[in-house]
Amino acid sequence: MTSPRPASASQALAPAERAVQLLGGDLSEVALRQHLEGLPTVDAVGLEARAASFGTRSIKTTSKAAALDTVIRMIDLTTLQGSDTRGKVRSLVAKALVPDASDPSTPRPAAVCVYGDMVGNAVEALGSAWSAGKDDGINVAAVATAFPSGRASIGVKLQDTRDAVAAGADEIDMVIDRGAFLEGNYGKVFDEIVQTKDACRRDDGTYAHLKVILETGELVTYDNVRRASWLSILAGGDFIKTSTGKVQPAATLPVTTLMLQVVRDWERLTGERIGVKPAGGISTSKDAIKYLVAVAETCGEAWLDPHLFRFGASSLLNDVLLQRQKLTTGRYSGPDYVTID
């Protein structure tokens, strides 16, 4: 069934630099639609077979040790519950600062991810370890734009973003309007991403990095995931992210592989690298390593970097720490050997 066309199909869209370069200066809903609906259809069988093959690779002990450390460096250690307290955020930060008290060589995760009103608490708890927008240290990521539903006015969404950035958020994880996307109102989704990117601007002219959450479990088809990924990149997203973690299915290997293919194709087309973040449902080292294989074999080893690939997770870190301890001691430790997230 063809998606209904919005009444404003001919209106001009916000002049996002990437979209202007790719689609031309006459940037309209029609031009955007023609591009997105002209993308090749996804071969679902081939995609799922390719994703399944990533779990068949044999990982040697030395490679596994390096892979586990890489996973830790790519984690956005997350708490996104309505019951979150300042104490819980401080505990999360303490875990990020010292993931394994028994092994000081354990790397730290890339970021802690919290609700916007908890950003200041996270920044304070990190102290000198906070990255403060630089390349070293631990970043503070904040969900915004009426996470997880995205059901709010654009004014509320933008103020949500500005407040988090003003409080010190290094990264903003926004949600797209899935209802608008599924209605075929691509221009509305596009413009909201562009405006959210603008709201990420700091007083000194730099920008918090923008991760665009597609909520792939609600997009229904692989073709929609591909279109939403391209749309998010064209509108200015620095990362494309699978899920909020509040909807099932959340991250899956086939969907993440498809999104990796999109950023690979974007890099081949423009020379620019965009990040990917699967989030929700990745809780074991075994699964995480499959994602690393997918990254390396789809985009290349350059993407095995926290600037280009992240895991959104809460329980994954503990499993990785237990596996890491097992490689060191030769014995499996129980859950009492790691702190509770």
Side-chain angles (χ1 to χ4, degrees):
M1 184 175 69
T2 304
S3 299
R5 293 178 180 241
S8 57
S10 62
Q11 73 178 32
L13 302 178
E17 181 179 352
R18 291 175 186 157
V20 169
Q21 290 177 350
L22 187 66
L23 305 180
D26 183 21
L27 187 57
S28 66
E29 174 88 32
V30 170
L32 181 63
R33 177 182 300 281
Q34 287 175 342
H35 177 75
L36 296 178
E37 294 186 349
L39 294 170
T41 300
V42 177
D43 175 3
V45 174
L47 175 66
E48 291 171 0
R50 177 67 173 158
S53 73
F54 297 136
T56 66
R57 309 297 186 262
S58 176
I59 309 294
K60 296 182 179 179
T61 300
T62 53
S63 297
K64 184 176 182 181
L68 293 174
D69 281 0
T70 298
V71 170
I72 294 174
R73 292 189 185 98
M74 291 177 167
I75 290 176
D76 284 0
L77 192 59
T78 301
T79 183
L80 294 171
Q81 301 298 326
S83 58
D84 284 345
T85 62
R86 288 173 293 178
K88 186 172 183 181
V89 170
R90 286 194 295 269
S91 294
L92 185 82
V93 169
K95 179 65 170 282
L97 291 171
V98 185
D100 186 351
S102 70
D103 185 354
S105 71
T106 307
R108 290 171 169 174
V112 293
C113 183
V114 296
Y115 276 110
D117 64 322
M118 290 291 180
V119 167
N121 299 313
V123 168
E124 181 181 6
L126 282 169
S128 62
W130 174 41
S131 72
K134 302 179 178 64
D135 284 339
D136 58 342
I138 298 174
N139 289 337
V140 175
V143 294
T145 63
F147 176 96
S149 70
R151 311 306 303 184
S153 69
I154 185 61
V156 168
K157 293 178 182 181
L158 297 180
Q159 193 59 50
D160 196 17
T161 304
R162 293 189 192 103
D163 287 346
V165 173
D170 304 290
E171 304 169 2
I172 294 294
D173 289 31
M174 70 164 290
V175 288
I176 67 167
D177 184 335
R178 283 87 74 190
F181 181 89
L182 292 170
E183 287 177 347
N185 195 347
Y186 301 139
K188 181 175 189 289
V189 180
F190 179 92
D191 280 345
E192 288 196 357
I193 297 171
V194 173
Q195 291 178 72
T196 304
K197 179 71 174 181
D198 287 343
C200 289
R201 190 179 189 275
R202 304 185 183 98
D203 291 340
D204 64 0
T206 62
Y207 287 78
H209 283 190
L210 181 62
K211 306 193 201 90
V212 183
I213 306 171
L214 310 183
E215 198 67 289
T216 55
E218 292 185 341
L219 296 186
V220 184
T221 69
Y222 289 134
D223 287 338
N224 277 341
V225 172
R226 175 177 277 171
R227 291 188 189 109
S229 297
W230 274 92
L231 185 156
S232 300
I233 293 170
L234 287 169
D238 300 300
F239 263 73
I240 48 176
K241 177 178 173 183
T242 61
S243 322
T244 63
K246 307 296 185 182
V247 169
Q248 295 300 322
T252 68
L253 199 50
V255 161
T256 304
T257 300
L258 175 57
M259 293 167 67
L260 287 166
Q261 291 172 351
V262 171
V263 300
R264 175 201 64 196
D265 293 346
W266 179 262
E267 196 248 358
R268 289 175 178 174
L269 181 65
T270 68
E272 183 184 20
R273 291 174 176 172
I274 305 296
V276 175
K277 178 180 173 180
I282 305 171
S283 59
T284 68
S285 304
K286 183 177 180 181
D287 283 342
I289 289 173
K290 292 177 186 177
Y291 281 82
L292 295 189
V293 173
V295 172
E297 295 193 12
T298 305
C299 295
E301 294 189 5
W303 255 265
L304 293 174
D305 184 293
H307 292 97
L308 292 170
F309 193 80
R310 298 280 185 87
F311 293 101
S314 54
S315 60
L316 173 61
L317 179 57
N318 275 350
D319 190 75
V320 175
L321 294 176
L322 292 173
Q323 292 297 324
R324 200 172 180 275
Q325 291 173 3
K326 196 264 182 182
L327 287 179
T328 301
T329 66
R331 302 184 305 275
Y332 279 107
S333 301
D336 292 341
Y337 285 80
V338 291
T339 59
I340 299 172
D341 291 335

